[in-house]
Amino acid sequence: MMATNLGVVENGCCKKGPGYASPLQAMSGPNETLIYVTCIYTVIHRLPMPYLGDELHHSGWNACSSCHGDPSAARRFLVLPSLLSGRIYAVDTQKDPRAPSLHKVVDPKDISEKTGLAYPHTPHCLASGEIMVSCLGDEDGNAQGNGFLLLDSDFNVKGRWEKPGHNPLYGYDFWYQPRHKTMISTSCGAPATFTKGFNFEHVSDGLYGRQLHVYSWPGGQLKQILDLGNSGLLPLEVRFLHDPAKDTGFAACAFASNMVRFFKKPDETWGHKVAISVKPLKVQNWIKPEMPGLITYFLISLDDRFLYLSNWFHGDIRQYNVEDPANPRLVGQVWVGGIIKKGSHVVAEAEDGTTYQTQLPQVQGNQLRGGPQMIQLSLDGKRLYVTNSMFSTWDRQFYPEMVEKGSHMLQIDVDTERGGLEINPRFFVDFGAEPDGPSLAHEMRYPGGDCTSDIWM
């Protein structure tokens, strides 16, 4: 894990509990000055993990705005689940924010023995002070072993969150909306499948998910399964709108390259509709004759005005106005990588039969590598940060040059008035220049909280 100096005003939190009283209050908070980036292997500081083979992936905080009413709570520990080893690290960012230190390691054997869970993925803090982590399978990588791990505030294993027998076949990400007493999770695939690389045939073979799971909150009963069909293949990230009174949100369906909107119906059940579709590209010299965008990540601005998504294959980041969530409007787009960039052996085919590739700019003299994957938005919504590592096995399969040379982080300037995205030519963090060799950068977190980890009550 690395801490990167963003060179702006010092960040901070409110004086009550951690985070902010509302999403709109958070937007007026101090600008970000630090960002914590998880990097695979194993800039102002580097904190190597003590074990090899972890695959640090997603991250979260021990406390967020859900604990704002508790003055004894503090956003101090960055929670780092290791997708492959099953370890969960707690990193202390309070002693020295510019030099985080390792606080505790949760042993995967302890997790497995007490819960049967393994392959931890998404952590979220709860208003109770507990930490909840989605787990994608059991020790052997079987999808049937998925569920939700509960840690107490000292990172001790408490047990499972969901009621016995209330875990569907696949798991991945989750988001809860307390005022609607609902938590919704997504479905990826069995760890034994996706850790070996991405086989397109596995999607049609039913080895990847296409469902959203609706749970009671905080009860943990599986109330409803939303089958998204072929329009919702491989739903990964899920977000409710930030306004805790809103009863709608989105899920990014990677392989289908659709954003699905989910919403509460008059009868108190939940429905879904495709809200955004990214059209596949006709291509030559690739695995398939058509290339999906592969929406691997998205987020929503704190004022619920804009949705941003990354197309890891196509190479573009998109900005949609979602003030009317049922009718998103594309208002910004920028290319920062992709498989069809100029110089690649893969070319896209236009409707008239001609071929083309995307022209990418150099940033501070550096060629852009890989495709846009993780994104993080500043609290005021004006700066979008992007890294490009998805998962090491998939990186090696689709972007071997990035694995060889390392990934990078970019900053995208955002027009929050009319819409629009533009690469900041003065910002480039090169993770290929690490002293111990190239590394792969993934998720980013601000010390003061952000729009992908904070949930309001």
Side-chain angles (χ1 to χ4, degrees):
M1 190 201 80
M2 302 180 189
T4 297
N5 189 354
L6 298 181
V8 287
V9 182
E10 187 66 29
N11 206 335
C13 292
C14 300
K15 295 181 179 179
K16 195 176 182 183
Y20 299 86
S22 71
L24 294 183
Q25 186 186 90
M27 290 193 74
S28 60
N31 284 4
E32 67 281 358
T33 181
L34 287 177
I35 195 165
Y36 298 121
V37 190
T38 54
C39 295
I40 300 164
Y41 121 175
T42 349
V43 72
I44 57 174
H45 177 75
R46 299 169 181 85
L47 175 63
M49 298 298 107
Y51 302 96
L52 296 177
D54 285 323
E55 187 94 23
L56 297 179
H57 198 59
H58 281 210
S59 60
W61 292 102
N62 68 304
C64 72
S65 292
S66 66
C67 307
H68 181 70
D70 181 2
S72 68
R75 193 195 309 264
R76 176 174 181 172
F77 299 107
L78 189 61
V79 183
L80 300 172
S82 304
L83 187 58
L84 294 184
S85 72
R87 296 182 188 93
I88 299 177
Y89 295 101
V91 173
D92 191 339
T93 67
Q94 194 175 83
K95 288 182 180 178
D96 185 350
R98 293 176 179 269
S101 56
L102 184 60
H103 171 71
K104 185 172 182 177
V105 181
V106 184
D107 193 310
K109 291 184 179 179
D110 190 32
I111 297 173
S112 180
E113 288 174 359
K114 292 179 179 177
T115 68
L117 296 170
Y119 295 90
H121 187 267
T122 300
H124 274 301
C125 60
L126 310 185
S128 62
E130 297 167 311
I131 300 153
M132 183 163 146
V133 185
S134 62
C135 295
L136 308 190
D138 61 18
E139 280 186 308
D140 297 322
N142 300 311
Q144 292 88 343
N146 81 88
F148 300 92
L149 168 69
L150 276 181
L151 303 175
D152 67 18
S153 57
D154 293 319
F155 305 102
N156 299 307
V157 176
K158 289 192 68 174
R160 297 174 75 130
W161 170 78
E162 79 280 4
K163 297 298 182 185
H166 285 248
N167 56 317
L169 181 58
Y170 299 128
Y172 193 75
D173 193 28
F174 69 99
W175 197 277
Y176 61 93
Q177 197 76 320
R179 294 191 192 178
H180 293 279
K181 299 179 180 179
T182 297
M183 188 271 274
I184 293 183
S185 67
T186 57
S187 50
C188 178
T193 299
F194 70 76
T195 55
K196 298 175 182 176
F198 186 50
N199 185 330
F200 286 85
E201 302 305 320
H202 288 168
V203 179
S204 56
D205 291 343
L207 298 181
Y208 284 96
R210 63 178 195 180
Q211 299 171 333
L212 300 181
H213 313 126
V214 182
Y215 286 87
S216 64
W217 184 267
Q221 293 94 359
L222 181 60
K223 293 290 189 180
Q224 189 179 354
I225 295 179
L226 304 179
D227 192 330
L228 308 180
N230 289 337
S231 64
L233 292 171
L234 195 51
L236 296 181
E237 306 302 322
V238 62
R239 309 273 184 267
F240 273 97
L241 294 179
H242 294 289
D243 182 344
K246 296 293 178 66
D247 61 356
T248 191
F250 296 89
C253 303
F255 189 75
S257 296
N258 289 329
M259 293 299 305
V260 169
R261 182 177 68 94
F262 53 85
F263 49 88
K264 186 186 283 188
K265 298 191 293 185
D267 64 0
E268 298 292 309
T269 63
W270 293 78
H272 63 91
K273 288 184 179 180
V274 173
I276 297 169
S277 291
V278 175
K279 187 177 179 181
L281 297 176
K282 291 184 178 180
V283 291
Q284 299 176 8
N285 309 320
W286 200 56
I287 309 166
K288 296 279 188 179
E290 285 194 336
M291 178 190 293
L294 208 75
I295 305 174
T296 51
Y297 203 73
F298 84 101
L299 55 78
I300 301 170
S301 62
L302 287 172
D303 56 7
D304 291 331
R305 291 184 59 218
F306 296 109
L307 181 151
Y308 301 85
L309 63 83
S310 56
N311 286 308
W312 196 55
F313 281 169
H314 288 183
D316 61 314
I317 297 174
R318 298 188 179 194
Q319 177 191 25
Y320 288 86
N321 184 304
V322 291
E323 291 175 289
D324 178 1
N327 297 287
R329 293 185 295 110
L330 180 64
V331 294
Q333 190 173 22
V334 64
W335 274 263
V336 297
I339 293 175
I340 58 167
K341 72 176 184 178
K342 189 173 182 180
S344 168
H345 67 282
V346 181
V347 297
E349 186 178 321
E351 291 184 2
D352 62 3
T354 60
T355 60
Y356 66 93
Q357 294 178 313
T358 53
Q359 179 70 48
L360 303 179
Q362 288 192 350
V363 181
Q364 293 189 341
N366 295 281
Q367 299 285 346
L368 301 186
R369 306 182 286 269
Q373 212 283 289
M374 300 300 282
I375 51 179
Q376 187 56 266
L377 189 65
S378 61
L379 295 179
D380 61 10
K382 296 181 179 179
R383 293 166 301 285
L384 187 72
Y385 298 92
V386 54
T387 56
N388 46 3
S389 170
M390 168 65 177
F391 178 69
S392 60
T393 309
W394 293 31
D395 294 344
R396 195 171 295 110
Q397 181 178 355
F398 295 105
Y399 292 111
E401 179 192 33
M402 182 180 66
V403 175
E404 177 187 350
K405 297 182 178 179
S407 62
H408 51 63
M409 181 167 65
L410 304 174
Q411 185 188 86
I412 309 297
D413 293 327
V414 179
D415 185 335
T416 58
E417 298 298 324
R418 296 163 297 181
L421 303 173
E422 186 175 349
I423 297 174
N424 182 341
R426 301 176 301 280
F427 187 100
F428 187 89
V429 180
D430 187 0
F431 295 101
E434 286 303 299
D436 292 322
S439 65
L440 301 172
H442 195 63
E443 187 154 54
M444 299 160 280
R445 291 286 179 221
Y446 305 133
D450 49 67
C451 63
T452 58
S453 62
D454 279 62
I455 294 176
W456 278 267
M457 304 299 288

